[in-house]
Amino acid sequence: MSENKTITVTSPLLPDLQEFEKLLEDIWQRKWLTNNGHYHMELETALAKYLGVEYLSLFTNGTLPLITALQALRITGEVITTPYSFVATTHSIWWNGLRPVFVDVEEETGNIDPEKIEAAITPHTTAIMPVHVYGTPCNMKRIQEIADIYGLKVIYDAAHAFGVKINGESVLNAGDMSTLSFHATKVYNTVEGGALVCHDAATKKRIDYLKNFGFAGETTVVAPGINSKMDEIRAAYGLLNLKQVDAAIAKRKIVAERYRVALKDVPGIRMMYDIDGVRHNYAYFPIFVDETQYGISRDALYEKLKEQNIFGRRYFYPLISTFSAYKGLESANPANLPVATRMANEVICLPMYAGLKNDDVERVITCIRK
Ligand code: T4K
């Protein structure tokens, strides 16, 4: 391989092509392509079991479950959320005609700071939408305490938290609902895909109506639902990928450990570490560059890496609150979001995926250490 081979921030986990072809032949035989087909049902059951949750509905991506969760819970008015995420989180609030209210994050995790939530609650607040950024669990206990006091619903954007557990319990069991993304760039993917997790059969039924135009029977429509059904081809692909996701997480862990050892003594480079009792999934490997100690800025390092054909990504820069749709909101004022603003200005997510070669990890490390 040439020294300058391109290294991207991620590369998808792909199932064995021959095994996939066999499943495709079966789908061709069945001639049942979507709308609760055989593989759809099988994947729903298999994922619920793997993830340790009781009720899970498959979706076509990770954005529509966010939009649908707000619908299913009939959220109104204002939703408290984090600006340090992918835009889909806040967009889902906007698509429901609701008002996002941004709250700052904790430096150690990048997750919404529970101690700043109460100050953002108004008579119009009905829900909190936190994100387990990079797969690191939020302070779910404290968030629930606040939600209970003020009578708020909690919808977790768990797009990054596939398979993450605390003392053996899935983070997806917290709050009222959690959403997942199975996008190609995620730890576990179905090409595009996602899921919505809830905690009772009646709610799952309602979610399943909502993702199928609101149909509750051949001639009955109970809500203005949307079309968000996963098709058979992606469900079959997802079943195969599920078999190898544990091995993929184990490989990611090795990459994370190598980065941590090699970059530990580099002045001005901050990393995130594993938390006791948490089964992490190593979805991303963010580093935070303190220009004064490191010597050059985050953006200068980002460009240096690019010169070496190493394409990290600045997830999550710019902050969602700076985009034109949201920057006019009172809560979007950078003075309200000092920690998130600093993190967004310092972050680079380094290449992280199961198939990343040792030599490539060393190339990234050498470039940063230089
Ligand atoms: N909530 C959160 C917290 C999220 O992070 C996301 C999505 C969502 C909700 C919404 O879920 P989805 O509706 O997307 O399921 C990517 C993803 O498109 C997006 O899913 C993800 N978060 C976000 C953090 O990252 P981009 O625009 O940065 O991806 P892109 O196309 O630049 O890909 C990054 C790198 O990955 C490429 O440089 C190379 C590699 N790659 C990518 C694709 C698509 C491949 O090797 N193969 C591929 O097929 O947004």
Side-chain angles (χ1 to χ4, degrees):
M1 281 292 162
S2 97
E3 243 255 83
N4 269 330
K5 184 186 93 179
T6 296
I7 310 175
T8 48
V9 70
T10 190
S11 179
L13 185 67
L14 289 163
D16 180 82
L17 190 54
Q18 283 178 349
E19 274 193 73
F20 187 44
E21 277 168 5
K22 280 193 212 130
L23 298 191
L24 288 178
E25 278 170 21
D26 185 50
I27 292 169
W28 259 238
Q29 292 292 325
R30 289 174 186 274
K31 295 191 172 55
W32 191 274
L33 302 183
T34 185
N35 291 8
N36 290 322
H38 169 83
Y39 288 103
H40 177 282
M41 304 307 272
E42 212 180 305
L43 183 61
E44 244 183 34
T45 306
L47 276 173
K49 185 162 178 256
Y50 174 86
L51 294 167
V53 303
E54 211 161 347
Y55 299 99
L56 177 147
S57 297
L58 288 175
F59 276 71
T60 40
N61 57 50
T63 303
L64 283 162
L66 287 166
I67 291 175
T68 305
L70 293 161
Q71 285 276 320
L73 293 168
R74 292 188 174 275
I75 301 303
T76 58
E78 295 175 3
V79 179
I80 289 177
T81 191
T82 165
Y84 194 72
S85 180
F86 189 60
V87 282
T89 312
T90 308
H91 282 354
S92 72
I93 297 169
W94 203 259
W95 272 72
N96 275 283
L98 307 170
R99 190 181 176 86
V101 175
F102 297 111
V103 162
D104 207 6
V105 301
E106 304 167 324
E107 178 127 41
E108 312 78 62
T109 62
N111 291 331
I112 195 164
D113 186 340
E115 299 316 322
K116 294 183 182 154
I117 290 176
E118 277 183 288
I121 295 172
T122 76
H124 305 293
T125 312
T126 58
I128 310 172
M129 185 179 275
V131 181
H132 302 295
V133 178
Y134 308 132
T136 307
C138 292
N139 185 343
M140 295 170 285
K141 188 165 171 277
R142 187 72 191 111
I143 290 170
Q144 196 59 54
E145 277 168 10
I146 296 165
D148 289 344
I149 291 169
Y150 291 90
L152 307 176
K153 300 288 185 195
V154 183
I155 300 162
Y156 282 100
D157 180 340
H160 302 171
F162 186 90
V164 174
K165 295 188 172 173
I166 304 183
N167 299 323
E169 171 77 27
S170 171
V171 295
L172 304 171
N173 288 321
D176 294 277
M177 292 187 191
S178 292
T179 68
L180 288 160
S181 163
F182 307 146
H183 184 259
T185 55
K186 295 292 189 280
V187 169
Y188 167 81
N189 82 85
T190 59
V191 183
E192 292 267 2
L196 181 47
V197 171
C198 67
H199 311 312
D200 64 90
T203 307
K204 171 163 165 58
K205 207 182 226 184
R206 183 162 160 73
I207 289 166
D208 289 345
Y209 297 156
L210 285 169
K211 75 171 200 191
N212 185 28
F213 311 99
F215 275 109
E218 193 181 332
T219 53
T220 314
V221 171
V222 293
I226 202 157
N227 178 3
S228 189
K229 293 168 274 114
M230 182 181 280
D231 62 75
E232 286 292 273
I233 295 174
R234 285 187 286 155
Y237 173 108
L239 274 168
L240 295 179
N241 253 355
L242 193 55
K243 292 199 284 186
Q244 51 173 0
V245 72
D246 279 333
I249 292 172
K251 286 185 192 156
R252 286 170 172 269
K253 183 176 184 184
I254 293 169
V255 175
E257 282 167 353
R258 177 63 195 136
Y259 278 142
R260 282 172 186 160
V261 168
L263 300 176
K264 204 170 99 200
D265 60 353
V266 180
I269 298 292
R270 180 171 79 85
M271 294 176 284
M272 288 178 168
Y273 290 90
D274 287 1
I275 299 167
D276 279 350
V278 174
R279 191 249 189 174
H280 290 271
N281 66 4
Y282 311 95
Y284 296 86
F285 196 89
I287 60 166
F288 300 88
V289 183
D290 176 343
E291 182 177 354
T292 51
Q293 288 183 51
Y294 183 64
I296 61 169
S297 69
R298 182 276 308 273
D299 287 338
L301 174 59
Y302 180 68
E303 293 304 326
K304 291 254 176 241
L305 287 163
K306 281 212 274 193
E307 282 166 22
Q308 300 290 321
N309 268 341
I310 299 167
F311 294 87
R313 289 297 285 269
R314 290 166 290 185
Y315 298 133
F316 289 98
Y317 165 84
L319 283 186
I320 302 174
S321 48
T322 65
F323 292 128
S324 60
Y326 308 116
K327 68 180 181 198
L329 295 169
E330 200 185 322
S331 63
N333 186 337
N336 182 45
L337 308 165
V339 181
T341 302
R342 189 167 64 249
M343 290 179 80
N345 289 334
E346 293 186 346
V347 73
I348 304 180
C349 285
L350 300 184
M352 165 56 83
Y353 53 92
L356 193 60
K357 301 273 178 286
N358 292 346
D359 289 354
D360 294 340
V361 177
E362 297 308 320
R363 256 178 68 199
V364 176
I365 289 167
T366 306
C367 188
I368 295 168
R369 290 187 65 91
K370 261 189 199 163

